[in-house]
Amino acid sequence: MSQHLRVVATIPTAPEHAEAVRAGLRDLVAATQQEEGCVAYDCFESNAAPGTFVMVEEWASQEAMDAHMKTPHMAEVFKVLGPALAGDVAIHPLRPLG
Amino acid sequence: MSQHLRVVATIPTAPEHAEAVRAGLRDLVAATQQEEGCVAYDCFESNAAPGTFVMVEEWASQEAMDAHMKTPHMAEVFKVLGPALAGDVAIHPLRPLG
């Protein structure tokens, strides 16, 4: 069984879009948690940076994560996030400290 | 018992400092994991952004995290990180998606 893949992503959005982004991310989380290779997939808001959302993810394999990136619900959330972004989305596939 | 506190932090460093930073973060993780209120404390490297380290933390309480910030091993790691930083350290105390 290939190594689980852990990912952290940070998504800075403009506060005036917060409600639309929250709704979009709630739908994304609900759909993603049903995906076969999804081990954990949680969305948080940052208490230090209003408008910044943080995804904490764990995937059964790279293939599972790649399939996730091509799902309709990912395409859908990018439509919501597009006009709301206040900076670059940072997606960090994690490897243990060397 | 107060609510556990989850934190994600991203630490961008200049690649030429990578070895010193890794050593400093290894020491930090080892010391922090011994702290009473530390539920989980892990350090990763980003596969997408060379030189960026990601902390994934869970604390038994805000008090536990506050005490951590004042420990000698935190003071020590800031000495190592100071000259190595390639951008702002982002510390995100997390709250569930609203």
Side-chain angles (χ1 to χ4, degrees):
Chain A
M1 203 181 70
S2 67
Q3 186 82 23
H4 277 199
L5 181 64
R6 292 184 70 176
V7 176
V8 156
T10 54
I11 306 169
T13 67
E16 63 268 26
H17 292 276
E19 271 322 303
V21 170
R22 283 195 189 99
L25 290 172
R26 271 193 295 267
D27 294 345
L28 173 67
V29 168
T32 301
Q33 288 177 344
Q34 305 307 314
E35 289 181 44
E36 202 190 316
C38 177
V39 176
Y41 194 86
D42 295 298
C43 182
F44 302 89
E45 299 191 50
S46 169
N47 278 331
T52 292
F53 295 84
V54 180
M55 313 298 299
V56 180
E57 313 173 18
E58 185 169 346
W59 295 94
S61 63
Q62 180 68 52
E63 296 71 27
M65 182 174 152
D66 294 344
H68 164 67
M69 297 303 283
K70 298 181 193 112
T71 57
H73 43 274
M74 273 300 277
E76 197 54 37
V77 83
F78 277 118
K79 281 187 217 155
V80 173
L81 289 178
L85 290 179
D88 294 334
V89 174
I91 299 178
H92 297 296
L94 303 179
R95 69 173 183 276
L97 183 62
Chain B
M1 204 182 67
S2 67
Q3 185 80 24
H4 278 199
L5 181 65
R6 292 184 69 176
V7 177
V8 157
T10 53
I11 306 169
T13 67
E16 63 268 26
H17 292 277
E19 271 322 304
V21 170
R22 282 194 189 100
L25 290 172
R26 270 193 296 268
D27 293 346
L28 174 67
V29 169
T32 301
Q33 287 178 344
Q34 304 308 313
E35 288 180 44
E36 201 191 319
C38 177
V39 175
Y41 194 86
D42 295 298
C43 181
F44 301 90
E45 299 190 50
S46 170
N47 277 332
T52 293
F53 295 83
V54 180
M55 314 297 300
V56 180
E57 313 172 19
E58 185 170 344
W59 296 94
S61 64
Q62 180 68 52
E63 296 71 26
M65 182 173 151
D66 293 344
H68 165 65
M69 297 302 283
K70 299 180 192 113
T71 58
H73 40 275
M74 275 299 276
E76 199 53 39
V77 84
F78 278 118
K79 282 187 215 155
V80 173
L81 289 178
L85 290 179
D88 295 334
V89 175
I91 299 178
H92 298 297
L94 302 179
R95 69 174 184 276
L97 184 61

Short mmCIF file of all heavy atoms in Angstrom, two decimals, chain A residues 26-92:
data_model
loop_
_atom_site.label_atom_id
_atom_site.label_comp_id
_atom_site.label_asym_id
_atom_site.label_seq_id
_atom_site.Cartn_x
_atom_site.Cartn_y
_atom_site.Cartn_z
N ARG A 26 -17.69 24.43 2.37
CA ARG A 26 -18.51 23.40 3.05
C ARG A 26 -18.94 22.33 2.07
O ARG A 26 -18.81 21.13 2.34
CB ARG A 26 -19.74 24.05 3.69
CG ARG A 26 -19.53 24.55 5.11
CD ARG A 26 -20.85 24.87 5.80
NE ARG A 26 -21.53 26.00 5.16
CZ ARG A 26 -21.41 27.27 5.54
NH1 ARG A 26 -20.62 27.58 6.55
NH2 ARG A 26 -22.07 28.25 4.91
N ASP A 27 -19.39 22.76 0.89
CA ASP A 27 -19.79 21.78 -0.14
C ASP A 27 -18.59 20.94 -0.57
O ASP A 27 -18.70 19.72 -0.73
CB ASP A 27 -20.39 22.51 -1.36
CG ASP A 27 -21.70 23.21 -1.04
OD1 ASP A 27 -22.29 22.89 0.04
OD2 ASP A 27 -22.13 24.06 -1.84
N LEU A 28 -17.45 21.60 -0.73
CA LEU A 28 -16.23 20.88 -1.15
C LEU A 28 -15.86 19.81 -0.13
O LEU A 28 -15.60 18.65 -0.48
CB LEU A 28 -15.08 21.87 -1.31
CG LEU A 28 -13.71 21.24 -1.59
CD1 LEU A 28 -13.69 20.57 -2.97
CD2 LEU A 28 -12.59 22.27 -1.48
N VAL A 29 -15.86 20.17 1.14
CA VAL A 29 -15.48 19.22 2.20
C VAL A 29 -16.45 18.03 2.22
O VAL A 29 -16.02 16.87 2.26
CB VAL A 29 -15.44 19.93 3.57
CG1 VAL A 29 -15.34 18.91 4.70
CG2 VAL A 29 -14.28 20.91 3.63
N ALA A 30 -17.74 18.33 2.13
CA ALA A 30 -18.75 17.25 2.18
C ALA A 30 -18.55 16.28 1.02
O ALA A 30 -18.56 15.05 1.22
CB ALA A 30 -20.15 17.86 2.14
N ALA A 31 -18.32 16.80 -0.17
CA ALA A 31 -18.15 15.93 -1.34
C ALA A 31 -16.81 15.19 -1.27
O ALA A 31 -16.73 13.98 -1.54
CB ALA A 31 -18.21 16.76 -2.62
N THR A 32 -15.78 15.87 -0.85
CA THR A 32 -14.45 15.26 -0.84
C THR A 32 -14.36 14.13 0.18
O THR A 32 -13.73 13.11 -0.06
CB THR A 32 -13.39 16.34 -0.53
OG1 THR A 32 -13.46 17.35 -1.55
CG2 THR A 32 -12.00 15.75 -0.50
N GLN A 33 -14.99 14.32 1.32
CA GLN A 33 -14.92 13.28 2.36
C GLN A 33 -15.56 11.97 1.90
O GLN A 33 -15.33 10.93 2.50
CB GLN A 33 -15.56 13.79 3.65
CG GLN A 33 -14.70 14.85 4.35
CD GLN A 33 -15.33 15.42 5.60
OE1 GLN A 33 -16.54 15.27 5.82
NE2 GLN A 33 -14.53 16.10 6.43
N GLN A 34 -16.35 12.03 0.81
CA GLN A 34 -16.96 10.80 0.25
C GLN A 34 -16.02 10.11 -0.74
O GLN A 34 -16.27 8.98 -1.14
CB GLN A 34 -18.28 11.14 -0.46
CG GLN A 34 -19.30 11.88 0.39
CD GLN A 34 -19.57 11.17 1.70
OE1 GLN A 34 -19.77 9.95 1.71
NE2 GLN A 34 -19.52 11.91 2.81
N GLU A 35 -14.96 10.77 -1.13
CA GLU A 35 -14.06 10.18 -2.13
C GLU A 35 -13.33 8.99 -1.53
O GLU A 35 -12.91 9.02 -0.37
CB GLU A 35 -13.03 11.22 -2.60
CG GLU A 35 -13.62 12.31 -3.46
CD GLU A 35 -12.54 13.29 -3.90
OE1 GLU A 35 -11.44 12.80 -4.30
OE2 GLU A 35 -12.76 14.49 -3.80
N GLU A 36 -13.14 7.96 -2.36
CA GLU A 36 -12.59 6.70 -1.85
C GLU A 36 -11.24 6.88 -1.19
O GLU A 36 -11.00 6.43 -0.10
CB GLU A 36 -12.48 5.70 -3.02
CG GLU A 36 -12.45 4.25 -2.53
CD GLU A 36 -12.09 3.31 -3.67
OE1 GLU A 36 -12.67 3.51 -4.77
OE2 GLU A 36 -11.22 2.46 -3.46
N GLY A 37 -10.31 7.57 -1.82
CA GLY A 37 -8.94 7.66 -1.29
C GLY A 37 -8.75 8.77 -0.26
O GLY A 37 -7.62 9.05 0.15
N CYS A 38 -9.83 9.38 0.18
CA CYS A 38 -9.72 10.48 1.14
C CYS A 38 -9.67 9.93 2.56
O CYS A 38 -10.66 9.36 3.04
CB CYS A 38 -10.89 11.43 0.98
SG CYS A 38 -10.88 12.78 2.19
N VAL A 39 -8.54 10.09 3.25
CA VAL A 39 -8.39 9.60 4.62
C VAL A 39 -8.89 10.65 5.62
O VAL A 39 -9.57 10.37 6.58
CB VAL A 39 -6.92 9.24 4.91
CG1 VAL A 39 -6.72 8.82 6.37
CG2 VAL A 39 -6.43 8.15 3.94
N ALA A 40 -8.52 11.92 5.35
CA ALA A 40 -9.00 13.03 6.19
C ALA A 40 -8.99 14.29 5.33
O ALA A 40 -8.12 14.47 4.49
CB ALA A 40 -8.10 13.21 7.40
N TYR A 41 -10.01 15.12 5.55
CA TYR A 41 -10.10 16.34 4.74
C TYR A 41 -10.91 17.35 5.55
O TYR A 41 -12.12 17.20 5.71
CB TYR A 41 -10.80 16.05 3.41
CG TYR A 41 -10.67 17.14 2.36
CD1 TYR A 41 -9.56 17.17 1.51
CD2 TYR A 41 -11.65 18.12 2.21
CE1 TYR A 41 -9.42 18.15 0.54
CE2 TYR A 41 -11.52 19.10 1.24
CZ TYR A 41 -10.41 19.11 0.41
OH TYR A 41 -10.26 20.09 -0.56
N ASP A 42 -10.20 18.31 6.14
CA ASP A 42 -10.87 19.27 7.02
C ASP A 42 -10.51 20.70 6.62
O ASP A 42 -9.38 20.96 6.21
CB ASP A 42 -10.46 19.03 8.46
CG ASP A 42 -10.96 17.67 8.96
OD1 ASP A 42 -12.19 17.49 8.97
OD2 ASP A 42 -10.12 16.81 9.28
N CYS A 43 -11.46 21.60 6.80
CA CYS A 43 -11.25 23.01 6.47
C CYS A 43 -11.41 23.85 7.73
O CYS A 43 -12.34 23.61 8.52
CB CYS A 43 -12.26 23.46 5.41
SG CYS A 43 -12.04 25.18 4.92
N PHE A 44 -10.50 24.78 7.91
CA PHE A 44 -10.52 25.64 9.07
C PHE A 44 -10.40 27.10 8.63
O PHE A 44 -10.00 27.37 7.50
CB PHE A 44 -9.35 25.32 10.01
CG PHE A 44 -9.31 23.91 10.50
CD1 PHE A 44 -8.65 22.92 9.80
CD2 PHE A 44 -9.98 23.56 11.67
CE1 PHE A 44 -8.62 21.61 10.25
CE2 PHE A 44 -9.96 22.25 12.13
CZ PHE A 44 -9.28 21.28 11.41
N GLU A 45 -10.75 27.98 9.55
CA GLU A 45 -10.48 29.40 9.32
C GLU A 45 -9.35 29.80 10.24
O GLU A 45 -9.21 29.23 11.34
CB GLU A 45 -11.75 30.21 9.60
CG GLU A 45 -12.90 29.83 8.68
CD GLU A 45 -14.08 30.79 8.76
OE1 GLU A 45 -13.85 32.03 8.64
OE2 GLU A 45 -15.21 30.32 8.92
N SER A 46 -8.54 30.76 9.81
CA SER A 46 -7.42 31.20 10.65
C SER A 46 -7.89 32.29 11.60
O SER A 46 -8.50 33.28 11.18
CB SER A 46 -6.30 31.78 9.77
OG SER A 46 -5.33 32.44 10.59
N ASN A 47 -7.60 32.09 12.89
CA ASN A 47 -7.93 33.13 13.87
C ASN A 47 -6.96 34.30 13.78
O ASN A 47 -7.23 35.37 14.32
CB ASN A 47 -7.89 32.55 15.28
CG ASN A 47 -9.18 31.84 15.64
OD1 ASN A 47 -10.25 32.20 15.11
ND2 ASN A 47 -9.10 30.82 16.47
N ALA A 48 -5.85 34.08 13.11
CA ALA A 48 -4.83 35.15 13.04
C ALA A 48 -4.96 35.97 11.76
O ALA A 48 -4.56 37.13 11.72
CB ALA A 48 -3.44 34.53 13.10
N ALA A 49 -5.53 35.38 10.71
CA ALA A 49 -5.61 36.08 9.42
C ALA A 49 -7.03 35.96 8.88
O ALA A 49 -7.37 34.99 8.17
CB ALA A 49 -4.62 35.46 8.44
N PRO A 50 -7.89 36.93 9.23
CA PRO A 50 -9.28 36.88 8.76
C PRO A 50 -9.35 36.70 7.24
O PRO A 50 -8.59 37.33 6.50
CB PRO A 50 -9.84 38.25 9.18
CG PRO A 50 -8.98 38.70 10.30
CD PRO A 50 -7.61 38.14 10.01
N GLY A 51 -10.21 35.78 6.80
CA GLY A 51 -10.35 35.55 5.36
C GLY A 51 -9.43 34.46 4.85
O GLY A 51 -9.55 34.03 3.70
N THR A 52 -8.50 33.96 5.72
CA THR A 52 -7.62 32.87 5.29
C THR A 52 -8.19 31.55 5.77
O THR A 52 -8.48 31.40 6.96
CB THR A 52 -6.18 33.08 5.84
OG1 THR A 52 -5.61 34.22 5.20
CG2 THR A 52 -5.31 31.86 5.53
N PHE A 53 -8.37 30.64 4.82
CA PHE A 53 -8.87 29.30 5.13
C PHE A 53 -7.70 28.33 5.02
O PHE A 53 -6.77 28.52 4.20
CB PHE A 53 -9.98 28.93 4.14
CG PHE A 53 -11.20 29.81 4.30
CD1 PHE A 53 -11.28 31.05 3.67
CD2 PHE A 53 -12.25 29.41 5.12
CE1 PHE A 53 -12.39 31.87 3.83
CE2 PHE A 53 -13.36 30.24 5.30
CZ PHE A 53 -13.43 31.47 4.66
N VAL A 54 -7.71 27.30 5.86
CA VAL A 54 -6.61 26.34 5.93
C VAL A 54 -7.19 24.94 5.75
O VAL A 54 -8.11 24.55 6.48
CB VAL A 54 -5.86 26.44 7.28
CG1 VAL A 54 -4.72 25.42 7.34
CG2 VAL A 54 -5.32 27.85 7.50
N MET A 55 -6.71 24.22 4.74
CA MET A 55 -7.13 22.83 4.51
C MET A 55 -6.07 21.91 5.10
O MET A 55 -4.87 22.12 4.91
CB MET A 55 -7.23 22.53 3.01
CG MET A 55 -7.96 23.55 2.17
SD MET A 55 -9.71 23.79 2.58
CE MET A 55 -10.33 22.13 2.28
N VAL A 56 -6.52 20.90 5.86
CA VAL A 56 -5.62 19.89 6.40
C VAL A 56 -6.10 18.55 5.87
O VAL A 56 -7.23 18.15 6.15
CB VAL A 56 -5.61 19.91 7.95
CG1 VAL A 56 -4.67 18.84 8.50
CG2 VAL A 56 -5.20 21.29 8.47
N GLU A 57 -5.27 17.92 5.05
CA GLU A 57 -5.74 16.78 4.26
C GLU A 57 -4.83 15.57 4.45
O GLU A 57 -3.63 15.72 4.71
CB GLU A 57 -5.75 17.14 2.76
CG GLU A 57 -6.38 18.48 2.42
CD GLU A 57 -6.19 18.85 0.96
OE1 GLU A 57 -5.89 17.98 0.12
OE2 GLU A 57 -6.33 20.06 0.64
N GLU A 58 -5.41 14.37 4.27
CA GLU A 58 -4.60 13.15 4.22
C GLU A 58 -5.19 12.25 3.15
O GLU A 58 -6.42 12.02 3.13
CB GLU A 58 -4.57 12.44 5.57
CG GLU A 58 -3.63 11.24 5.57
CD GLU A 58 -3.40 10.68 6.97
OE1 GLU A 58 -3.73 11.35 7.97
OE2 GLU A 58 -2.89 9.54 7.04
N TRP A 59 -4.34 11.74 2.25
CA TRP A 59 -4.78 10.94 1.12
C TRP A 59 -4.14 9.56 1.17
O TRP A 59 -2.98 9.43 1.60
CB TRP A 59 -4.42 11.63 -0.20
CG TRP A 59 -5.16 12.93 -0.34
CD1 TRP A 59 -4.70 14.18 0.00
CD2 TRP A 59 -6.49 13.11 -0.80
NE1 TRP A 59 -5.69 15.11 -0.21
CE2 TRP A 59 -6.80 14.48 -0.72
CE3 TRP A 59 -7.47 12.23 -1.29
CZ2 TRP A 59 -8.03 15.00 -1.10
CZ3 TRP A 59 -8.69 12.75 -1.67
CH2 TRP A 59 -8.97 14.12 -1.57
N ALA A 60 -4.87 8.57 0.72
CA ALA A 60 -4.36 7.19 0.75
C ALA A 60 -3.18 7.04 -0.21
O ALA A 60 -2.33 6.19 -0.02
CB ALA A 60 -5.46 6.21 0.40
N SER A 61 -3.13 7.86 -1.25
CA SER A 61 -2.05 7.75 -2.25
C SER A 61 -2.00 9.02 -3.09
O SER A 61 -2.95 9.83 -3.08
CB SER A 61 -2.34 6.58 -3.19
OG SER A 61 -3.54 6.85 -3.91
N GLN A 62 -0.92 9.18 -3.82
CA GLN A 62 -0.82 10.30 -4.76
C GLN A 62 -1.93 10.20 -5.81
O GLN A 62 -2.52 11.22 -6.18
CB GLN A 62 0.56 10.24 -5.47
CG GLN A 62 0.79 11.36 -6.48
CD GLN A 62 0.91 12.74 -5.85
OE1 GLN A 62 1.69 12.95 -4.91
NE2 GLN A 62 0.10 13.70 -6.31
N GLU A 63 -2.24 8.97 -6.23
CA GLU A 63 -3.28 8.77 -7.25
C GLU A 63 -4.63 9.29 -6.74
O GLU A 63 -5.38 9.93 -7.47
CB GLU A 63 -3.41 7.28 -7.60
CG GLU A 63 -2.19 6.65 -8.25
CD GLU A 63 -1.02 6.50 -7.25
OE1 GLU A 63 -1.28 6.39 -6.02
OE2 GLU A 63 0.16 6.55 -7.70
N ALA A 64 -4.90 9.03 -5.47
CA ALA A 64 -6.18 9.49 -4.88
C ALA A 64 -6.22 11.02 -4.89
O ALA A 64 -7.25 11.63 -5.23
CB ALA A 64 -6.31 8.98 -3.45
N MET A 65 -5.10 11.65 -4.56
CA MET A 65 -5.09 13.12 -4.54
C MET A 65 -5.20 13.67 -5.97
O MET A 65 -5.94 14.62 -6.21
CB MET A 65 -3.81 13.64 -3.90
CG MET A 65 -3.79 15.15 -3.81
SD MET A 65 -2.38 15.77 -2.89
CE MET A 65 -2.18 17.38 -3.67
N ASP A 66 -4.52 13.02 -6.91
CA ASP A 66 -4.60 13.48 -8.30
C ASP A 66 -6.04 13.40 -8.82
O ASP A 66 -6.53 14.30 -9.49
CB ASP A 66 -3.68 12.64 -9.19
CG ASP A 66 -2.20 12.84 -8.86
OD1 ASP A 66 -1.88 13.85 -8.16
OD2 ASP A 66 -1.37 12.01 -9.27
N ALA A 67 -6.72 12.29 -8.46
CA ALA A 67 -8.12 12.11 -8.91
C ALA A 67 -8.99 13.21 -8.30
O ALA A 67 -9.86 13.79 -8.95
CB ALA A 67 -8.62 10.74 -8.48
N HIS A 68 -8.71 13.54 -7.03
CA HIS A 68 -9.48 14.59 -6.34
C HIS A 68 -9.40 15.91 -7.09
O HIS A 68 -10.40 16.62 -7.24
CB HIS A 68 -8.94 14.74 -4.92
CG HIS A 68 -9.37 16.00 -4.22
ND1 HIS A 68 -10.68 16.24 -3.87
CD2 HIS A 68 -8.67 17.08 -3.83
CE1 HIS A 68 -10.76 17.43 -3.29
NE2 HIS A 68 -9.56 17.96 -3.25
N MET A 69 -8.19 16.24 -7.57
CA MET A 69 -7.98 17.54 -8.22
C MET A 69 -8.83 17.67 -9.49
O MET A 69 -9.08 18.77 -9.96
CB MET A 69 -6.49 17.74 -8.54
CG MET A 69 -5.60 17.78 -7.31
SD MET A 69 -6.04 19.06 -6.09
CE MET A 69 -5.37 20.53 -6.90
N LYS A 70 -9.27 16.50 -10.04
CA LYS A 70 -10.04 16.52 -11.31
C LYS A 70 -11.54 16.36 -11.09
O LYS A 70 -12.31 16.17 -12.03
CB LYS A 70 -9.53 15.41 -12.22
CG LYS A 70 -8.07 15.54 -12.63
CD LYS A 70 -7.64 14.41 -13.56
CE LYS A 70 -6.14 14.36 -13.70
NZ LYS A 70 -5.54 13.12 -13.08
N THR A 71 -11.99 16.39 -9.84
CA THR A 71 -13.43 16.17 -9.58
C THR A 71 -14.25 17.42 -9.90
O THR A 71 -13.74 18.55 -9.84
CB THR A 71 -13.63 15.83 -8.08
OG1 THR A 71 -13.09 16.92 -7.31
CG2 THR A 71 -12.98 14.53 -7.71
N PRO A 72 -15.55 17.21 -10.18
CA PRO A 72 -16.44 18.34 -10.44
C PRO A 72 -16.50 19.31 -9.25
O PRO A 72 -16.56 20.52 -9.42
CB PRO A 72 -17.79 17.68 -10.69
CG PRO A 72 -17.50 16.26 -11.00
CD PRO A 72 -16.23 15.92 -10.31
N HIS A 73 -16.45 18.75 -8.04
CA HIS A 73 -16.56 19.65 -6.88
C HIS A 73 -15.31 20.53 -6.70
O HIS A 73 -15.41 21.66 -6.19
CB HIS A 73 -16.91 18.90 -5.59
CG HIS A 73 -16.19 17.62 -5.36
ND1 HIS A 73 -16.63 16.41 -5.87
CD2 HIS A 73 -15.05 17.35 -4.66
CE1 HIS A 73 -15.81 15.44 -5.48
NE2 HIS A 73 -14.85 15.99 -4.76
N MET A 74 -14.14 20.05 -7.20
CA MET A 74 -12.98 20.94 -7.16
C MET A 74 -13.15 22.05 -8.21
O MET A 74 -12.88 23.22 -7.94
CB MET A 74 -11.69 20.14 -7.45
CG MET A 74 -11.09 19.52 -6.22
SD MET A 74 -10.64 20.74 -4.96
CE MET A 74 -9.02 21.25 -5.57
N ALA A 75 -13.64 21.67 -9.40
CA ALA A 75 -13.87 22.69 -10.43
C ALA A 75 -14.86 23.74 -9.92
O ALA A 75 -14.69 24.95 -10.10
CB ALA A 75 -14.41 22.01 -11.71
N GLU A 76 -15.86 23.24 -9.21
CA GLU A 76 -16.92 24.14 -8.70
C GLU A 76 -16.33 25.14 -7.70
O GLU A 76 -16.62 26.34 -7.77
CB GLU A 76 -18.00 23.28 -8.03
CG GLU A 76 -19.34 23.97 -7.82
CD GLU A 76 -19.91 24.57 -9.10
OE1 GLU A 76 -19.75 23.94 -10.19
OE2 GLU A 76 -20.44 25.70 -9.03
N VAL A 77 -15.48 24.66 -6.79
CA VAL A 77 -14.97 25.57 -5.74
C VAL A 77 -14.02 26.61 -6.34
O VAL A 77 -13.97 27.75 -5.87
CB VAL A 77 -14.29 24.78 -4.59
CG1 VAL A 77 -12.85 24.43 -4.90
CG2 VAL A 77 -14.42 25.54 -3.28
N PHE A 78 -13.32 26.22 -7.41
CA PHE A 78 -12.42 27.22 -8.03
C PHE A 78 -13.22 28.37 -8.62
O PHE A 78 -12.77 29.52 -8.64
CB PHE A 78 -11.53 26.54 -9.09
CG PHE A 78 -10.32 25.88 -8.49
CD1 PHE A 78 -10.12 24.51 -8.59
CD2 PHE A 78 -9.38 26.63 -7.79
CE1 PHE A 78 -9.00 23.90 -8.02
CE2 PHE A 78 -8.26 26.04 -7.21
CZ PHE A 78 -8.08 24.66 -7.33
N LYS A 79 -14.47 28.06 -9.08
CA LYS A 79 -15.34 29.15 -9.60
C LYS A 79 -15.65 30.14 -8.49
O LYS A 79 -15.66 31.34 -8.69
CB LYS A 79 -16.64 28.57 -10.14
CG LYS A 79 -16.52 27.94 -11.52
CD LYS A 79 -17.92 27.55 -12.05
CE LYS A 79 -17.85 26.23 -12.83
NZ LYS A 79 -19.14 25.52 -12.83
N VAL A 80 -15.90 29.60 -7.29
CA VAL A 80 -16.23 30.47 -6.14
C VAL A 80 -14.99 31.22 -5.67
O VAL A 80 -15.02 32.42 -5.41
CB VAL A 80 -16.79 29.61 -4.98
CG1 VAL A 80 -16.97 30.45 -3.73
CG2 VAL A 80 -18.08 28.93 -5.38
N LEU A 81 -13.87 30.52 -5.62
CA LEU A 81 -12.64 31.11 -5.08
C LEU A 81 -12.05 32.16 -6.03
O LEU A 81 -11.51 33.17 -5.59
CB LEU A 81 -11.60 30.02 -4.79
CG LEU A 81 -11.90 29.10 -3.61
CD1 LEU A 81 -10.81 28.04 -3.49
CD2 LEU A 81 -12.00 29.90 -2.31
N GLY A 82 -12.19 31.92 -7.33
CA GLY A 82 -11.56 32.80 -8.33
C GLY A 82 -11.65 34.28 -7.98
O GLY A 82 -10.64 34.94 -7.73
N PRO A 83 -12.89 34.81 -7.91
CA PRO A 83 -13.03 36.26 -7.65
C PRO A 83 -12.76 36.64 -6.20
O PRO A 83 -12.64 37.81 -5.87
CB PRO A 83 -14.51 36.53 -8.00
CG PRO A 83 -15.20 35.21 -7.91
CD PRO A 83 -14.18 34.16 -8.20
N ALA A 84 -12.62 35.64 -5.32
CA ALA A 84 -12.53 35.94 -3.87
C ALA A 84 -11.09 35.98 -3.37
O ALA A 84 -10.81 36.48 -2.29
CB ALA A 84 -13.31 34.89 -3.08
N LEU A 85 -10.14 35.46 -4.17
CA LEU A 85 -8.78 35.32 -3.67
C LEU A 85 -8.12 36.67 -3.37
O LEU A 85 -8.27 37.63 -4.13
CB LEU A 85 -7.92 34.53 -4.66
CG LEU A 85 -8.26 33.04 -4.79
CD1 LEU A 85 -7.37 32.37 -5.82
CD2 LEU A 85 -8.13 32.35 -3.44
N ALA A 86 -7.40 36.71 -2.26
CA ALA A 86 -6.68 37.94 -1.87
C ALA A 86 -5.18 37.67 -1.89
O ALA A 86 -4.39 38.41 -1.31
CB ALA A 86 -7.13 38.33 -0.47
N GLY A 87 -4.78 36.59 -2.51
CA GLY A 87 -3.36 36.22 -2.60
C GLY A 87 -3.26 34.84 -3.20
O GLY A 87 -4.28 34.26 -3.61
N ASP A 88 -2.03 34.31 -3.22
CA ASP A 88 -1.85 33.00 -3.84
C ASP A 88 -2.33 31.88 -2.91
O ASP A 88 -2.09 31.92 -1.71
CB ASP A 88 -0.35 32.76 -4.14
CG ASP A 88 0.14 33.73 -5.21
OD1 ASP A 88 -0.71 34.19 -6.01
OD2 ASP A 88 1.34 34.06 -5.22
N VAL A 89 -2.97 30.88 -3.53
CA VAL A 89 -3.27 29.65 -2.79
C VAL A 89 -1.95 28.88 -2.66
O VAL A 89 -1.23 28.72 -3.65
CB VAL A 89 -4.32 28.80 -3.55
CG1 VAL A 89 -4.53 27.47 -2.84
CG2 VAL A 89 -5.65 29.56 -3.66
N ALA A 90 -1.61 28.46 -1.46
CA ALA A 90 -0.37 27.68 -1.26
C ALA A 90 -0.77 26.25 -0.92
O ALA A 90 -1.48 26.04 0.07
CB ALA A 90 0.48 28.28 -0.14
N ILE A 91 -0.38 25.32 -1.77
CA ILE A 91 -0.68 23.90 -1.52
C ILE A 91 0.63 23.20 -1.18
O ILE A 91 1.56 23.18 -2.00
CB ILE A 91 -1.36 23.25 -2.74
CG1 ILE A 91 -2.69 23.96 -3.04
CG2 ILE A 91 -1.58 21.76 -2.51
CD1 ILE A 91 -3.43 23.44 -4.26
N HIS A 92 0.73 22.70 0.05
CA HIS A 92 1.98 22.08 0.51
C HIS A 92 1.81 20.57 0.71
O HIS A 92 1.30 20.15 1.76
CB HIS A 92 2.43 22.71 1.83
CG HIS A 92 2.76 24.16 1.77
ND1 HIS A 92 3.80 24.67 1.01
CD2 HIS A 92 2.17 25.23 2.34
CE1 HIS A 92 3.85 25.98 1.15
NE2 HIS A 92 2.87 26.36 1.94
#
